[in-house]
């Protein structure tokens, strides 16, 4: 790390913990081989790049199945209500962590966590509810990094909104999605074709791909595709959903985002 900081090495391959120690102004790129467990972690880690104000690239190599490891660890760290009850019963007999571990079979880390929370919670129900809330929050963080990786709209806008900031412009015109959907020059005009009498113009697609939309219950999202009576939307919070085009149109459930 010292030699990298002194510009003797151009590239380092590191864990996220190692990378967090890098405070170097001229890092030109951060490539993620593994997807982080949350938007917060990803934002901190890509923040190593471009501190001198010059161009820097952040690239995430992503497959949906890569999130499995984070879901596995989230499940392994969960303490369910039965565990909490067993812990409370053992705590009534002793406050020695080793004796509690032998009585409950819980790991030292889980016992330490429960001991700390037990001092703040007023009852078994409160302690169990807090553990359930934390588990759901961890799964929610994993779902949001998935939504970011699969996003078809401006990535900078998504990151800013995640941290509660309103973007000054709706698109950054710099991320891969903005570059991919950049407005192309209009083609030269073509001679108008004669239309047969009594022809009817096709109805316009109400939800073109990459359109930002808002659903009353599912929140904000982006249209992935619309075909027949189905419209597929990747929602920021609820993930990917397949909706009936006829139903959402009749009940005015899906609005184009401003």
């Amino acid at each position: 790390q010292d030699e990298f900081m002194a510009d003797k090495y151009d590239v380092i391959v590191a864990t996220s913990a190692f990378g967090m120690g890098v405070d170097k102004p001229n890092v030109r790129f951060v490539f993620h081989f593994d997807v982080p467990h949350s938007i917060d972690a990803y934002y901190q880690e890509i923040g190593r790049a471009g501190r001198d104000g010059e161009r820097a690239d952040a690239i995430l190599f992503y497959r949906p199945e890569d999130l499995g490891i984070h879901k596995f660890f989230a499940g392994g760290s969960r303490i369910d209500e039965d565990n909490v009850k067993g812990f409370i019963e053992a705590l009534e007999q002793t406050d020695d962590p080793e004796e509690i571990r032998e009585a409950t079979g819980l790991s030292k880390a889980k016992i330490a966590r429960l001991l700390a929370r037990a001092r703040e919670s007023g009852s078994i129900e409160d302690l169990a509810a807090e553990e359930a809330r934390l588990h759901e929050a961890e799964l929610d963080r994993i779902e949001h990094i998935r939504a970011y990786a699969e996003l078809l709209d401006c990535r900078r806008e998504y990151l800013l909104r995640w941290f509660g900031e309103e973007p000054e412009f709706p698109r950054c015109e710099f991320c891969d999605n903005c570059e991919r959907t950049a407005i192309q020059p209009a083609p030269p005009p073509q001679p108008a074709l004669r239309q047969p009498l009594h022809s009817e113009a096709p109805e316009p697609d109400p939800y073109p791909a990459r359109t930002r939309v808002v659903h009353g219950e599912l929140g904000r999202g982006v249209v992935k595709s619309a075909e027949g009576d189905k419209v597929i939307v990747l929602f920021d919070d609820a993930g990917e959903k397949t909706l009936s085009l006829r139903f959402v149109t009749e009940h005015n459930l899906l609005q184009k985002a401003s």
Side-chain angles (χ1 to χ4, degrees):
Q1 182 173 1
D2 290 340
E3 297 200 358
F4 174 73
M5 299 294 288
D7 291 333
K8 294 182 180 179
Y9 289 115
D10 294 330
V11 179
I12 57 172
V13 180
T15 66
S16 58
F18 182 93
M20 288 299 289
V22 173
D23 186 7
K24 189 172 186 287
N26 61 340
V27 174
R28 296 273 67 86
F29 64 84
V30 173
F31 293 171
H32 276 86
F33 180 75
D34 293 310
V35 60
H37 74 283
S38 69
I39 294 290
D40 305 70
Y42 179 72
Y43 188 77
Q44 285 186 328
E45 291 160 18
I46 64 175
R48 305 300 106 184
R51 294 191 168 193
D52 56 3
E54 300 298 324
R55 172 173 175 142
D57 294 316
I59 296 179
L60 171 65
F61 294 91
Y62 166 79
R63 302 179 308 159
E65 52 266 39
D66 292 341
L67 293 171
I69 188 66
H70 296 305
K71 293 178 180 178
F72 172 79
F73 281 120
S77 64
R78 183 182 184 186
I79 305 175
D80 60 27
E81 189 171 354
D82 289 338
N83 293 146
V84 174
K85 289 181 179 179
F87 166 78
I88 295 295
E89 291 173 359
L91 188 61
E92 291 173 350
Q93 304 299 320
T94 178
D95 59 358
D96 181 80
E98 185 60 27
E99 293 180 5
I100 295 175
R101 187 186 67 79
E102 292 177 359
T104 62
L106 294 171
S107 68
K108 292 181 179 180
K110 289 183 178 179
I111 291 172
R113 197 166 88 201
L114 286 172
L115 283 171
R117 299 240 171 85
R119 300 185 184 100
E120 303 171 0
S121 300
S123 65
I124 294 176
E125 290 75 14
D126 290 343
L127 186 54
E130 178 64 9
E131 284 297 326
R133 186 193 68 78
L134 291 172
H135 178 67
E136 289 301 319
E138 182 63 24
L139 294 179
D140 186 62
R141 284 191 289 270
I142 295 172
E143 180 63 21
H144 275 87
I145 192 67
R146 180 201 64 78
Y148 172 82
E150 297 178 5
L151 189 68
L152 299 177
D153 209 345
C154 178
R155 297 193 191 277
R156 183 174 183 272
E157 178 192 14
Y158 188 95
L159 288 175
L160 288 175
R161 292 188 185 279
W162 170 259
F163 290 103
E165 296 185 30
E166 193 67 24
E168 184 177 358
F169 304 102
R171 292 163 55 95
C172 70
E173 305 298 347
F174 192 77
C175 71
D176 59 320
N177 284 336
C178 284
E179 288 185 346
R180 176 176 52 81
T181 59
I183 299 175
Q184 301 296 323
Q190 300 294 324
L193 299 177
R194 293 187 62 186
Q195 298 293 329
L197 295 177
H198 309 297
S199 64
E200 295 183 359
E203 295 184 3
D205 185 354
Y207 303 109
R210 298 189 294 276
T211 299
R212 291 289 295 178
V213 293
V214 177
H215 189 280
E217 295 182 1
L218 301 174
R220 293 171 60 89
V222 61
V223 176
K224 294 183 69 175
S225 64
E227 183 175 350
D229 187 46
K230 294 181 179 180
V231 55
I232 301 175
V233 181
L234 177 61
F235 290 98
D236 296 349
D237 295 326
E240 184 176 301
K241 302 291 183 182
T242 300
L243 308 175
S244 165
L245 183 60
R246 178 184 58 81
F247 186 81
V248 298
T249 302
E250 288 180 358
H251 296 274
N252 199 29
L253 298 179
L254 205 58
Q255 303 291 327
K256 293 184 179 179
S258 57

